[in-house]
Amino acid sequence: MKNFKKPNSKQYPKKSFSSVKPFIYINLAKDVTRNNALTHESIKANYLTGKIKLQIQVMSDYLFSGSGNYDFRKDDKLVYYTFFRSSNKLTIPGTSVKGSVRSVAEAISNSCVSHMAGRKKVGRNKYKDDEKKYFSRNDSRLACNNYIQLCPTCSIFGTTDYSGKIGFLDASPLKNVKTEIVKIGELFSPKIVKKQRKFYQNKKFNPIGNLIPEKQHRFVEAVKKDSKFVTWMKFQNLSKNELSLILYSMGIKQDYNIKIGGAKPRCFGTVEIQPLEIELLNHNSLFSHNNMYIKKDLNFINEILENKDLLNKEIFKSFRKSMKFINDWCPRGNY
Ligand SMILES: [Zn+2]
């Protein structure tokens, strides 16, 4: 008789490890390009200074930007982690947007490694793992350690003793954005440390289907798909290539999406970022209060995207491929 096993429909579909896990590893650049950092004391006429209004639209089923606190629902005493609020409004902190954009910029340019895949940060510039275990002492890819010679990402986003050239305002809801309490499998910190960068993919959220409290699960207050937020990115003294790198790192006018916020291993936080308004500083009228800024149309974005000198073409190609939406389930629990 044949050794026949009855299929069990309740069983999680058998897949190879690689298709079940919700993340991918992106190779590091072979080398880091460092240049003299610009000083901040003046606005330079041959660089770009201005601001871009951005719409952040949630493309995954949920986005969770945690407040670090929890609350409980009165009727059923359900304890859940709350969404961050500022002046009672749901808010995605600007620092969170900046952090997400930075990690992409680091990956797709010849930049230093400020975080290694799986390495746990335990304090300012302190890691649980000794990075020297993974890099030789003179490996150029170690984090920039002086503020005179900086890699593209540190020169744009800043590093210790260098404040950087861009900032994001807190993103506030465009309309009346509503939240939902979602049950998710507990998130475990990664165990494998690799000499690569780790990115969570854009897969489908796999709902648990009940709100019953159980071990190794948590409840989070998340905003739903299609929720829209608005923020401003302000920048000063950027070259066209630097602004271009930032736009690519936000996935602007691209066929891939980046992620913002928490619960990324549960495939939360996929967003589409779109420019709404662009204003550049008018260097000819710096001292008059009228016409300080010149409005640019959205063609300006296309022009800037042509400047690709800071992109590592090979890595960008693999990043782009890996961050497209995949019609595949995200794991509910451990993977
Ligand atoms: Zn750096």
Side-chain angles (χ1 to χ4, degrees), residues 22 55-65 92 100 199-205 223-229 250-251 254-273 322-326 328 330:
Q55 174 185 288
I56 300 172
Q57 182 174 356
V58 180
M59 305 302 282
S60 47
D61 284 345
Y62 300 103
L63 179 144
F64 172 62
S65 180
I92 306 172
S100 298
F199 283 94
Y200 287 99
Q201 291 166 295
N202 297 310
K203 292 182 171 180
K204 282 189 293 181
F205 173 63
V223 297
K224 292 197 255 184
K225 189 176 182 164
D226 292 327
S227 301
K228 288 175 184 165
F229 290 81
M250 293 195 279
Q254 303 303 310
D255 54 358
Y256 54 87
N257 295 89
I258 71 158
K259 280 178 174 285
I260 291 178
K264 291 189 183 88
R266 299 287 164 251
C267 298
F268 277 36
T270 304
V271 293
E272 187 175 290
I273 305 181
S322 310
M323 296 308 282
K324 286 182 185 176
F325 187 81
I326 306 165
D328 201 356
C330 204

Side-chain angles (χ1 to χ4, degrees), residues 95-322:
T95 48
S96 162
V97 180
K98 186 177 172 183
S100 298
V101 179
R102 179 185 186 129
S103 64
V104 178
E106 265 187 34
I108 62 176
S109 63
N110 293 335
S111 288
C112 72
V113 180
S114 68
H115 294 91
M116 269 176 49
R119 203 165 57 131
K120 221 177 179 176
K121 209 170 180 173
V122 290
R124 199 179 140 106
N125 298 321
K126 272 192 183 159
Y127 296 89
K128 222 174 174 178
D129 277 298
D130 182 6
E131 68 184 3
K132 290 181 186 77
K133 252 172 30 193
Y134 307 98
F135 288 104
S136 71
R137 211 169 358 137
N138 47 10
D139 193 312
S140 75
R141 295 172 296 187
L142 285 169
C144 296
N145 58 10
N146 77 67
Y147 57 90
I148 298 158
Q149 285 275 307
L150 292 176
C151 76
T153 305
C154 289
S155 120
I156 296 169
F157 293 83
T159 179
T160 318
D161 301 324
Y162 186 78
S163 64
K165 302 190 281 192
I166 67 166
F168 290 84
L169 298 187
D170 285 350
S172 43
L174 189 62
K175 281 184 196 146
N176 193 18
V177 170
K178 288 198 175 75
T179 62
E180 184 184 321
I181 294 171
V182 189
K183 180 179 174 181
I184 55 172
E186 200 59 83
L187 313 166
F188 296 95
S189 54
K191 298 167 198 95
I192 317 153
V193 177
K194 285 204 173 203
K195 228 168 142 175
Q196 281 173 303
R197 299 181 199 265
K198 183 178 182 173
F199 283 94
Y200 287 99
Q201 291 166 295
N202 297 310
K203 292 182 171 180
K204 282 189 293 181
F205 173 63
N206 202 344
I208 290 169
N210 67 64
L211 284 180
I212 302 161
E214 59 181 305
K215 266 187 185 169
Q216 299 193 343
H217 286 76
R218 63 166 66 187
F219 298 93
V220 295
E221 182 191 26
V223 297
K224 292 197 255 184
K225 189 176 182 164
D226 292 327
S227 301
K228 288 175 184 165
F229 290 81
V230 169
T231 181
W232 283 91
M233 179 183 97
K234 297 187 166 186
F235 53 92
Q236 67 171 59
N237 293 335
L238 288 181
S239 69
K240 284 182 178 174
N241 277 305
E242 287 177 323
L243 182 55
S244 175
L245 175 61
I246 299 164
L247 298 175
Y248 280 107
S249 304
M250 293 195 279
I252 285 184
K253 296 201 169 213
Q254 303 303 310
D255 54 358
Y256 54 87
N257 295 89
I258 71 158
K259 280 178 174 285
I260 291 178
K264 291 189 183 88
R266 299 287 164 251
C267 298
F268 277 36
T270 304
V271 293
E272 187 175 290
I273 305 181
Q274 278 179 41
L276 300 177
E277 283 173 43
I278 305 150
E279 291 183 25
L280 288 186
L281 192 73
N282 182 356
H283 291 282
N284 298 323
S285 67
L286 265 188
F287 301 103
S288 73
H289 283 288
N290 305 321
N291 313 319
M292 270 256 293
Y293 288 93
I294 316 164
K295 271 203 189 277
K296 288 279 189 181
D297 63 31
L298 295 175
N299 275 330
F300 173 76
I301 298 289
N302 293 329
E303 282 168 37
I304 292 295
L305 287 170
E306 291 299 311
N307 299 275
K308 298 178 184 173
D309 288 2
L310 294 180
L311 287 185
N312 180 315
K313 306 228 160 51
E314 200 183 312
I315 295 174
F316 178 61
K317 206 172 135 192
S318 81
F319 177 83
R320 150 174 270 161
K321 210 175 97 195
S322 310

